[in-house]
Amino acid sequence: MKSVLLALAPMGAAALAVSPPVYPTPQARGHGQWADAYVQARAFVALMSLGEKVNITRGFADPSNTCAGNTGSVPRLNWHGLCLMDAGNGVRATDMVSAWASGLHVGASWDRNLTYERGLWMAREFKAKGVNIALGPNAGPLGRTPLGGRNWEGFSVDPYLAGALGAETITGMQEAGVMANLKHFIANEQETYRRPYFGVEAVSSNIDDKTLHEYYLWPFMDGVKAGAASVMCSYNRINNTYGCENSKLMNGILKGELGYQGFVMLDWNAQHNLNSANAGLDMLMPLGGSWGDNLTEAVRNNTVKEARVTDMATRILAAWYLVGQDEGFPTPGIGMKKLTEPHEPVDARDARSKPVLLEGAISGHVLVKNDNHALPFTKPLRMVSVYGYDAAVPATKNTDVLFQLGYYSSKEMGQAVLGKDYHFDQAARGGTIISGGRAGSNAPAYISDPLSAIQQRAQKDNTWVNWDLASDNPDVNGASEACLVFINAMATEGWDRDGLHDDPSDALVNNVASKCANTIAVVHAAGIRLVDRWIEHPNVTAAIIAHLPGQDGGAALVKLLYGEANFSGKLPYTLAKNESDYAVYAPCGRGPDNTTSPQCDFTEGVYLDYRAFDEGNVTPRYEFGYGLSYTTFSYGGVELWQDEGLVESAGDAGDLWDVVARVSTTVTNTGSVAGEEVAQLYLGIPGAPPKQLRGFEKARLAPGQSATVEFGLTRRDLSEWQVARQRWVVQRGEYGVFVGASSRDIRSTASIVVPGRMERGRAETPSRIAAPFIMKSNGRY
């Protein structure tokens, strides 16, 4: 089955990237954590007729619920089918659920435990609503272009961080009894030309095999290892073959190389054909698509083997058994009703999840500037002034399309038709934002907006509050002790963003700062939002990237402003000074030679975000992994252990996850208040970017407290993908080890030396690197 994605040739009519065919589909073996589920699934599927097996591999309209999709059922065997619903940030377009922090906000928390808890409690709401499959989390897009309309749905542009948090999410969701859906497979990195419309094919992500494995496949590997029940193939083409027709990707890589045991699902109405079944696709959505009754006929005329259909049905049933839906699961779709019609609401919320919701909202806020300890407010303010369209609750949150698609604050987006060209205001001026738009949005029980939360605190503290949310150049009461300016950056599925800032919002910050000596800027952002138009203004004393905190955003922010909680978030991307600093900025379009077949060449390889900034020696405004706290932390030296057997060698599926080296350091809270520090480990792999994230741990420390932080490095962490050998290979040579508080705030270094095959292995002797750096009060070194 070995074949490779062809290296890119110069693009033109005569030379296009090609994805080679790989057949047949590997049959699932049912090993490891899947073993018991496969015993049950095989026994069940053996009782089914061909027609019944085909029935559960496709969608049907079900007027009894508003699930995004429903599979067929098997009434004879009392199997009721599956309800599928959006998405990875909470249940969308229904009532009596919660709006959780969005993926990017979770990424900014760098918190494995909290990510797991979010997945667990969020999925319990899906389960209560009778949703069998939650359509998330997102492992793609990662964020190749910072303008990507769906970047906010995922965790980070970095594949290691995205993969680690994706795996925690999947584990939590499936422990709650809900099937996770890992999407979008693969290289689905822009909304522009994301699928065929009006005679124009979907964009082709032209990507070489090495880049595919080392960057875009990485988080999917983590998701597969975590036991993801399902994977969604993507709308786009990859090397000129549609994702849901691509046998190289589904058969060759996902089910072959990764040994994936779950099922592959069609993204809604994605391009596919009857042969997609042979290419590795297992389930169509939302209806029968190109299969319909044709799949049964294809088996009869031997176009598709019945063994393939049996494997499809078995994979689906095995996933159902894997998460325990054979016992005690509600009727599919029982809580998904048309909201404008009389219905008995199913309250999916659990009071025990409230601390997770609030802590999730708090943890993704990133403090990027805090001059002269402007924050926290250490005593009650006598007067505070609030400005900006993002400070208040949206005008409506009802049952309409704005609610269903998360467009409460951006009504113009609610009128847009998919596939048509629109250029939206970069800011959602109708109120604060808690998520981005469309499939990844969620349904808030309430919205705690900043102004309301500030006024509730003012009532307690006897503070006078001024506000003007309408003017771009408001007056400022000269007695104001602090001026808070709220702006945002909106993004949505279906369209990429037009830019990374907007002039009116930047002018608002500057106008207030010109009149207020203690101006604090707060930016809710569905993606990267540049700050250089105002960040160096001397009266902008503090700046917070508030991302997308969900329904508790205002309450979370007030706790942070007043020091009842501490900032611990770190940027899951690089915040540049200029748009031109990004290695890839705009999404790919059409040219004179590809008017109906857009081509997007990923020639930058793995050099994206901080990897490209480091390689090009470009100074960012705020680097990947950066974030301030109200306290300070020092790092000790590092201790390094490496396995004696770590030599130049190729790995396989059985040993890629073996820990072959360990790095530890001591982190100490040197400040006066409790706080959490995210210690980060980067590797310098020979012939690769200067630094790549390969470990992170979040430590909560009281003042003066120290903790040992340990990072385990797997064989995969040290490996490169060698195309010629089609193997992950640990190279001979020296690997730099960098431990610190961000990708550029490195506190201690060491090295791992990997000998050649014939050289003696290194002894298991710890090496110690002393001379720790001490973090200064501004968070730098």
Side-chain angles (χ1 to χ4, degrees):
M1 192 182 291
K2 283 192 176 181
S3 60
V4 300
L5 295 170
L6 296 188
L8 297 181
M11 287 297 106
L16 294 177
V18 176
S19 187
V22 177
Y23 296 100
T25 302
Q27 286 206 0
R29 291 184 294 149
H31 54 75
Q33 62 187 306
W34 289 87
D36 290 343
Y38 264 85
V39 171
Q40 295 171 286
R42 286 175 178 137
F44 193 88
V45 172
L47 303 175
M48 297 166 63
S49 67
L50 174 61
E52 288 168 334
K53 287 184 283 190
V54 167
N55 210 43
I56 70 171
T57 67
R58 53 159 292 184
F60 290 88
D62 187 342
S64 72
N65 64 53
T66 58
C67 300
N70 291 273
T71 69
S73 58
V74 187
R76 182 178 66 86
L77 299 177
N78 201 32
W79 194 77
H80 303 293
L82 306 173
C83 163
L84 297 78
M85 190 60 195
D86 300 319
N89 302 312
V91 192
R92 182 180 65 81
T94 190
D95 52 17
M96 312 306 282
V97 293
S98 307
W100 299 80
S102 291
L104 188 66
H105 199 90
V106 177
S109 78
W110 293 64
D111 193 320
R112 298 176 194 266
N113 293 332
L114 189 58
T115 302
Y116 162 81
E117 291 288 336
R118 169 184 176 268
L120 179 74
W121 289 103
M122 183 170 67
R124 285 176 174 167
E125 294 188 358
F126 278 95
K127 180 177 180 178
K129 288 289 187 178
V131 177
N132 302 83
I133 304 174
L135 299 173
N138 281 33
L142 283 171
R144 176 179 183 264
T145 163
L147 297 179
R150 302 189 76 173
N151 292 354
W152 60 275
E153 294 184 47
F155 302 107
S156 174
V157 66
D158 180 80
Y160 183 93
L161 180 57
L165 298 183
E168 294 290 349
T169 300
I170 290 165
T171 300
M173 292 174 73
Q174 297 193 170
E175 285 186 9
V178 172
M179 291 184 247
N181 179 242
L182 188 61
K183 62 185 188 183
H184 304 85
F185 190 72
I186 193 172
N188 181 207
E189 293 294 320
Q190 63 179 66
E191 295 301 282
T192 304
Y193 302 118
R194 69 173 185 157
R195 57 185 295 185
Y197 285 116
F198 309 118
V200 179
E201 300 289 347
V203 67
S204 177
S205 298
N206 300 324
I207 183 169
D208 65 272
D209 196 39
K210 184 176 175 67
T211 299
L212 181 87
H213 279 80
E214 293 183 3
Y215 205 88
Y216 298 97
L217 187 66
W218 189 283
F220 285 95
M221 294 176 71
D222 289 302
V224 168
K225 184 174 186 293
S230 62
V231 168
M232 181 184 289
C233 54
S234 57
Y235 283 133
N236 57 297
R237 295 180 292 164
I238 303 89
N239 292 342
N240 288 285
T241 299
Y242 278 97
C244 298
E245 297 177 353
N246 200 309
S247 62
K248 169 61 183 175
L249 293 173
M250 292 188 288
N251 285 345
I253 293 180
L254 183 61
K255 292 181 175 180
E257 182 184 315
L258 302 189
Y260 181 54
Q261 304 294 294
F263 64 94
V264 179
M265 174 197 307
L266 187 81
D267 199 349
W268 267 232
N269 294 309
Q271 178 72 28
H272 68 285
N273 53 34
L274 184 60
N275 192 55
S276 292
N278 291 323
L281 186 62
D282 301 302
M283 179 186 288
L284 294 191
M285 278 290 144
L287 300 173
S290 296
W291 294 359
D293 295 331
N294 297 329
L295 187 55
T296 304
E297 181 58 31
V299 172
R300 289 173 178 155
N301 66 27
N302 211 34
T303 303
V304 177
K305 302 290 187 183
E306 184 169 359
R308 172 78 268 266
V309 177
T310 299
D311 182 58
M312 293 155 65
T314 304
R315 286 173 177 270
I316 294 167
L317 266 297
W320 184 72
Y321 281 113
L322 178 73
V323 300
Q325 291 186 3
D326 55 315
E327 295 182 0
F329 200 88
T331 300
I334 192 171
M336 302 300 300
K337 303 300 179 183
K338 189 172 182 180
L339 300 182
T340 55
E341 295 180 353
H343 62 283
E344 183 63 35
V346 174
D347 195 340
R349 298 167 297 172
D350 188 318
R352 294 174 296 172
S353 71
K354 288 184 177 181
V356 181
L357 275 159
L358 180 58
E359 186 58 35
I362 290 170
S363 65
H365 285 74
V366 182
L367 181 65
V368 295
K369 182 179 182 180
N370 192 24
D371 286 355
N372 302 316
H373 303 289
L375 294 174
F377 302 140
T378 56
K379 60 183 179 180
L381 299 175
R382 290 178 299 168
M383 181 183 293
V384 65
S385 296
V386 178
Y387 304 102
Y389 53 85
D390 183 69
V393 70
T396 67
K397 191 217 84 170
N398 202 359
T399 62
D400 59 6
V401 68
L402 301 180
F403 166 74
Q404 294 172 27
L405 299 178
Y407 292 152
Y408 326 95
S409 301
S410 189
K411 291 185 178 180
E412 62 174 339
M413 289 183 173
Q415 310 303 315
V417 178
L418 287 171
K420 294 189 175 181
D421 188 31
Y422 294 90
H423 297 275
F424 303 113
D425 190 335
Q426 288 303 292
R429 302 186 188 278
T432 195
I433 60 173
I434 64 169
S435 77
R438 297 195 82 90
S441 65
N442 46 28
Y446 53 81
I447 294 177
S448 173
D449 63 278
L451 179 57
S452 296
I454 289 167
Q455 295 204 76
Q456 290 166 10
R457 178 65 188 229
Q459 182 180 26
K460 174 184 175 183
D461 289 350
N462 199 31
T463 301
W464 178 276
V465 184
N466 308 297
W467 67 87
D468 182 345
L469 311 186
S471 175
D472 290 334
N473 190 13
D475 293 331
V476 174
N477 188 314
S480 300
E481 293 174 90
C483 300
L484 295 162
V485 186
F486 290 87
I487 62 175
N488 66 43
M490 183 61 175
T492 180
E493 176 192 9
W495 297 272
D496 292 315
R497 298 162 64 193
D498 280 344
L500 300 181
H501 75 97
D502 72 282
D503 291 338
S505 298
D506 289 338
L508 172 62
V509 178
N510 282 318
N511 289 338
V512 172
S514 70
K515 305 167 188 176
C516 181
N518 188 25
T519 297
I520 298 162
V522 182
V523 185
H524 286 107
I528 293 172
R529 206 288 182 187
L530 301 187
V531 299
D532 259 60
R533 298 292 180 93
W534 43 263
I535 196 67
E536 291 186 347
H537 194 296
N539 288 346
V540 175
T541 55
I544 300 165
I545 308 299
H547 293 114
L548 300 170
Q551 65 189 35
D552 284 335
L557 178 67
V558 166
K559 282 186 171 291
L560 290 163
L561 292 175
Y562 286 84
E564 294 177 359
N566 199 343
F567 286 93
S568 65
K570 305 269 190 172
L571 294 175
Y573 50 76
T574 298
L575 199 55
K577 294 183 176 181
N578 301 291
E579 291 88 343
S580 59
D581 291 340
Y582 291 102
V584 176
Y585 175 63
C588 296
R590 293 186 287 169
D593 295 328
N594 58 5
T595 57
T596 60
S597 181
Q599 301 291 318
C600 195
D601 300 343
F602 287 34
T603 52
E604 72 285 346
V606 301
Y607 288 86
L608 289 167
D609 200 77
Y610 70 92
R611 304 175 182 207
F613 279 77
D614 287 352
E615 179 71 10
N617 197 28
V618 177
T619 301
R621 171 55 62 186
Y622 299 115
E623 70 270 19
F624 177 84
Y626 170 82
L628 301 177
S629 170
Y630 292 149
T631 189
T632 55
F633 300 94
S634 68
Y635 284 65
V638 297
E639 287 192 358
L640 172 65
W641 167 89
Q642 71 183 74
D643 193 306
E644 282 187 323
L646 179 60
V647 296
E648 180 183 17
S649 57
D652 55 37
D655 62 9
L656 277 182
W657 306 97
D658 292 348
V659 173
V660 296
R662 295 187 187 276
V663 177
S664 63
T665 189
T666 300
V667 180
T668 302
N669 183 342
T670 54
S672 59
V673 297
E676 293 179 276
E677 172 68 334
V678 180
Q680 301 161 41
L681 181 145
Y682 297 84
L683 279 185
I685 297 173
K691 292 192 291 290
Q692 297 182 72
L693 182 69
R694 286 296 186 264
F696 66 93
E697 294 295 335
K698 195 166 191 174
R700 177 182 287 272
L701 300 169
Q705 183 181 7
S706 298
T708 299
V709 176
E710 183 175 282
F711 309 93
L713 292 170
T714 66
R715 180 175 297 278
R716 182 181 70 143
D717 291 332
L718 273 69
S719 295
E720 67 159 352
W721 178 255
Q722 288 194 359
V723 176
R725 299 174 68 179
Q726 288 291 284
R727 300 282 296 276
W728 289 98
V729 174
V730 176
Q731 307 169 70
R732 173 183 179 179
E734 183 174 350
Y735 293 66
V737 177
F738 308 91
V739 176
S742 76
S743 63
R744 295 206 167 188
D745 186 0
I746 302 301
R747 308 301 183 85
S748 296
T749 62
S751 62
I752 295 171
V753 177
V754 177
R757 290 177 178 275
M758 303 306 294
E759 299 176 33
R760 184 186 301 273
R762 289 176 59 87
E764 298 182 21
T765 302
S767 64
R768 299 179 183 273
I769 312 300
F773 295 107
I774 305 298
M775 182 184 286
K776 297 181 180 179
S777 61
N778 66 353
R780 316 300 287 157
Y781 71 94

